[in-house]
Amino acid sequence: PEIATLVLKVMKESGRGQTHSGAPPAAATVRGAKMSTWGTGRGAFAVTQVGDDFAFGDPNGVKAILEATGAATGGRLSDVPAFRSASERVPGKRQFFAFLNGAPIATAFNAGIDQSYANMRPAPAKGAKPSPAPSVEAAALKGFIGMDALVGGSLTALAESGQVTLQAALELDRTRNGLVGILSDPPIIEGRSAALMPIDTDGAVVGSIDLVRIYDLVLQTMTPELSKKMGTPPPPEVIREFETRYEMRLRDDFLAAFGNEFAIGVMIDKAPATMARVQDGGAPPPQKAPDLDDAF
């Protein structure tokens, strides 16, 4: 406790110095705990002590921590199932742990889509109330993206025996359909594209995408009602025209022929003049845009 008090005092003095005025911090009491704040607006900084722990940073965040810890009841992040599962999923030994809470992010993301389409609506007649219901287009876009499938994510790091081990995990609700779920659950890759790349390739990124499932999702989302609303022909009509013209099925022949694997190879120009210029702090000489033959 004595060390905690000393550290808190040092932090307060440091914060007072940041104001360049020597003015004492603004004091507030939240749930029985004292919070000191320096500055206002985006540059404000707050600090408090909770037992032997310190909370410092944005005043709103520090206040939220005090309100949560000071309340007899109420949820904490440690109570969120996604946080518990993420913490239990990673190795017990770790020196760094980051958590991404999916539910608030999905809610904010979907609210942003609703607001964007609401801004596009014509202004209501004088005296009329604006419609609170999301538009058909907004609902379709939210369903297509499927951000609600994001439950949580985590990243851990452990340095041991001369090695650094990183583990990233993303937890998704597979009962929810959408682009997020499809892109995060692609077919397994084989890495066969490495057989096409030169031996001195400096780096390679290999990924997988399921075009057939995305095709099915588009058909499911783009209903006749939505097509009419957007002033576009219904997808079945476009597909029928394609298949008639090229005498092949779009889903089972054309898309299936591409498989699922894609790769990007990177080769750095190692010419002595280029490397010397980079070493001297200058930018490398401009290069012409690569031809299609240069891409993997």
Side-chain angles (χ1 to χ4, degrees):
E2 291 81 2
I3 298 298
T5 302
L6 176 60
V7 172
L8 183 61
K9 179 181 178 181
V10 171
M11 293 180 69
K12 288 183 177 180
E13 291 177 351
S14 175
R16 183 181 298 110
Q18 291 180 357
T19 63
H20 303 290
S21 63
T29 301
V30 181
R31 296 282 185 177
K34 294 182 178 180
M35 181 178 75
S36 301
T37 304
W38 291 266
T40 58
R42 297 181 61 181
F45 177 85
V47 61
T48 190
Q49 181 178 350
V50 183
D52 292 337
D53 297 324
F54 294 103
F56 56 91
D58 179 79
N60 292 329
V62 174
K63 181 180 179 182
I65 289 176
L66 289 177
E67 289 178 342
T69 56
T73 60
R76 276 86 162 168
L77 181 60
S78 57
D79 299 324
V80 177
F83 180 85
R84 292 200 302 268
S85 62
S87 183
E88 294 169 357
R89 185 188 305 110
V90 300
K93 297 170 62 178
R94 54 195 172 187
Q95 293 147 341
F96 174 83
F97 175 73
F99 170 70
L100 178 71
N101 197 353
I105 292 177
T107 299
F109 183 87
N110 291 333
I113 293 178
D114 289 336
Q115 185 61 45
S116 297
Y117 277 93
N119 293 337
M120 296 167 57
R121 293 176 181 171
K126 188 176 181 179
K129 294 183 179 180
S131 174
S135 66
V136 175
E137 297 94 324
L141 182 58
K142 290 187 294 184
F144 177 79
I145 297 176
M147 188 60 73
D148 292 339
L150 179 61
V151 176
S154 61
L155 175 68
T156 60
L158 173 65
E160 188 178 40
S161 302
Q163 298 180 350
V164 177
T165 303
L166 298 176
Q167 184 186 73
L170 192 64
E171 185 176 349
L172 298 157
D173 182 358
R174 296 296 182 194
T175 64
R176 297 180 180 273
N177 192 26
L179 191 62
V180 170
I182 293 176
L183 294 179
S184 62
D185 185 29
I188 302 299
I189 61 174
E190 299 175 1
R192 60 188 178 89
S193 53
L196 304 175
M197 300 183 185
I199 194 170
D200 57 347
T201 299
D202 295 294
V205 178
V206 185
S208 177
I209 186 171
D210 197 332
L211 295 176
V212 174
R213 286 182 64 188
I214 295 177
Y215 169 94
D216 294 337
L217 178 63
V218 170
L219 284 184
Q220 176 185 341
T221 305
M222 202 68 176
T223 61
E225 177 190 7
L226 181 60
S227 300
K228 183 178 180 181
K229 187 85 173 177
M230 298 180 64
T232 60
E237 182 179 323
V238 177
I239 294 170
R240 189 163 46 250
E241 180 180 346
F242 173 90
E243 295 180 343
T244 300
R245 175 177 299 182
Y246 296 104
E247 297 183 347
M248 68 170 62
R249 294 170 298 178
L250 177 59
R251 180 186 189 277
D252 300 326
D253 296 333
F254 183 78
L255 294 180
F258 283 95
N260 64 279
E261 186 171 319
F262 67 90
I264 300 173
V266 179
M267 299 182 68
I268 301 173
D269 183 9
K270 304 181 185 67
T274 300
M275 302 308 294
R277 179 171 296 188
V278 172
Q279 185 175 2
D280 292 339
Q287 299 181 3
K288 69 180 182 68
D291 299 327
L292 291 178
D293 294 338
D294 297 330
F296 300 110

